[in-house]
Amino acid sequence: MRNFKFALAALPFLVLAGCGNDALEGTYEATTTVMGFKAPKQTWEFSKDYIIANGSKVKVDEWERKGDVVVARNKDGQALINVRVLDGGKRLEGVGGNDMAKNEFVRVD
């Protein structure tokens, strides 16, 4: 009975820990705008273990969520992508970088 109570007490933390990855799993259409000019749209796929963009597959070792910002990190702790989750995960917005470029992602799957 004691183990069962511990599992119930830990459940909210496990659910929250999964939110960072769950919010991003799927396929997104990415648009990059630099100084008002839009680059051609690209397809990005996010999964628990990988980010795939333009045929390049990058291993993700950790998803971290702080509020509405999600960061994917590699094995060395370097940030691979840093986005703000909008509309319940239907849209993402790049965070950081510089003011001249803007990245937006719209869920297509």
Side-chain angles (χ1 to χ4, degrees), residues 14-106:
L14 296 174
V15 170
L16 287 174
C19 288
N21 181 40
D22 293 345
L24 298 185
E25 276 196 62
T27 303
Y28 289 80
E29 193 171 72
T31 303
T32 301
T33 306
V34 180
M35 296 175 57
F37 296 99
K38 288 189 177 188
K41 293 183 179 184
Q42 303 172 356
T43 300
W44 286 56
E45 293 179 46
F46 297 104
S47 72
K48 179 183 171 198
D49 298 319
Y50 293 97
I51 296 173
I52 302 171
N54 296 332
S56 297
K57 189 174 186 178
V58 178
K59 174 85 170 112
V60 176
D61 286 287
E62 175 188 10
W63 289 94
E64 176 185 354
R65 182 174 186 139
K66 291 183 181 177
D68 63 348
V69 175
V70 176
V71 179
R73 298 188 184 280
N74 67 10
K75 64 180 171 118
D76 299 322
Q78 272 187 314
L80 301 170
I81 190 165
N82 191 3
V83 293
R84 178 168 285 112
V85 178
L86 305 168
D87 300 330
K90 293 178 185 173
R91 291 187 318 115
L92 309 173
E93 176 181 82
V95 177
N98 65 47
D99 295 332
M100 295 181 3
K102 181 178 178 183
N103 292 308
E104 293 181 310
F105 303 81
V106 177

